Amino acid sequence: MTKIVAANFKTNHTKKTTKSYLESLEKKLLASDKIYIFPTPIALCENNFKHLKVGTQNAYPILNGAFTGEVGLESLKELDIKTILIGHSERRNILGESQKFCAEKFDFFAKEDFEIIYCVGEDISIREKGVENVKKFIKTQFENIPVQYPKLIIAYEPIWAIGSGMSASAEQIQQTHSFIKEISPAPVLYGGSVNIKNIAEILNIQEVDGVLVGSASLNIDSFYKIIQEARNK
């Protein structure tokens, strides 16, 4: 199975720098690569690349309407964007998106035949209570989520590892991915301080089907090195 490599730019890069990045990266990619890029919403562009897919970090589950500051399906359709991130911890914890709302989003975009990268992960207080508590918490993040959805990709991102420079250990990743694979047959990505120093070790874990990369994706050279490592696996 080809390893999946996804980049979440979060609130980084402009429309101009995103366009340059995507055009440059496209030239380096192979037909066998499975690459997803999630730019900041204002930098979304037409999804007309051959070797990568442009997705949206967020959207409101509506065609259009009175939802200030949100992106609707109508705008995504115009750009031919059919991939979305749902459930990222920053949206859950900073912006207050509940499990109920994540499930509503999932249902709406699944009915529109989107590829969905669905994010789950625990904070440090839960991790410190042990593996069984981690499993119990992650299970709650699948409430009302159709885990058999054929266009589902799951991203396991321990919150305590995101942006901290401290990745989960190989044993922690293996244990958690194995548990998630008992819940759903979908591919499972790892995210949380993935970089060029730890990518080989992470991708060597049998249960890891790819990675969701944050800060290490902002520089095209470092991100391409991660892609090259994925090809080797």
Side-chain angles (χ1 to χ4, degrees):
M1 177 181 172
T2 303
K3 299 289 187 181
I4 299 165
V5 182
N8 181 9
F9 286 178
K10 304 187 180 183
T11 314
N12 295 288
H13 278 301
T14 64
K15 192 174 185 67
K16 182 178 179 180
T17 61
T18 298
K19 183 174 184 290
S20 174
Y21 184 114
L22 294 174
E23 290 174 349
S24 297
L25 182 62
E26 170 78 358
K27 294 173 184 177
K28 298 173 181 284
L29 297 180
L30 307 176
S32 57
D33 292 329
K34 295 186 73 174
I35 311 300
Y36 296 81
I37 307 290
F38 294 89
T40 186
I42 200 169
L44 283 174
C45 60
E46 192 167 353
N47 186 34
N48 59 0
F49 297 92
K50 280 185 67 178
H51 303 313
L52 63 86
K53 292 185 180 181
V54 177
T56 183
Q57 296 176 18
N58 175 56
Y60 203 82
I62 197 78
L63 179 66
N64 53 38
F67 299 93
T68 302
E70 291 287 346
V71 176
L73 178 63
E74 185 176 56
S75 296
L76 299 178
K77 281 185 171 182
E78 185 177 71
L79 298 173
D80 197 29
I81 288 174
K82 298 281 287 183
T83 308
I84 186 171
L85 281 178
I86 295 177
H88 194 282
S89 62
E90 288 161 1
R91 296 206 62 86
R92 292 180 190 263
N93 298 333
I94 298 173
L95 297 167
E97 292 192 0
S98 65
Q99 180 59 30
K100 181 175 181 290
F101 186 55
C102 289
E104 288 173 1
K105 271 190 181 182
F106 195 112
D107 180 66
F108 178 88
F109 288 101
K111 287 175 178 173
E112 295 294 335
D113 202 35
F114 270 56
E115 274 190 296
I116 297 172
I117 296 186
Y118 183 70
C119 304
V120 299
E122 81 286 356
D123 63 29
I124 192 63
S125 66
I126 294 167
R127 172 55 68 175
E128 287 174 343
K129 292 176 182 175
V131 174
E132 292 307 313
N133 278 281
V134 172
K135 291 179 179 180
K136 185 177 179 181
F137 177 77
I138 287 176
K139 199 169 182 180
T140 69
Q141 295 183 313
F142 284 102
E143 288 178 2
N144 298 314
I145 299 297
V147 294
Q148 301 291 328
Y149 179 59
K151 291 190 175 183
L152 169 62
I153 299 170
I154 297 167
Y156 168 59
E157 293 196 299
I159 298 168
W160 47 272
I162 297 173
S164 67
M166 177 179 66
S167 178
S169 70
E171 182 182 12
Q172 289 170 328
I173 296 170
Q174 188 275 329
Q175 284 179 335
T176 311
H177 277 230
S178 292
F179 171 68
I180 293 170
K181 285 175 177 289
E182 292 174 7
I183 296 173
S184 172
V188 185
L189 315 183
Y190 173 75
S193 294
V194 175
N195 55 55
I196 57 175
K197 293 180 180 178
N198 61 23
I199 184 63
E201 180 185 15
I202 290 170
L203 290 177
N204 275 332
I205 301 168
Q206 186 176 351
E207 292 78 7
V208 172
D209 300 311
V211 287
L212 178 56
V213 188
S215 59
S217 72
L218 300 180
N219 178 279
I220 191 170
D221 293 329
S222 68
F223 187 59
Y224 185 61
K225 287 177 182 177
I226 289 171
I227 292 170
Q228 289 175 308
E229 283 290 341
R231 286 176 186 161
N232 294 335
K233 306 302 177 186

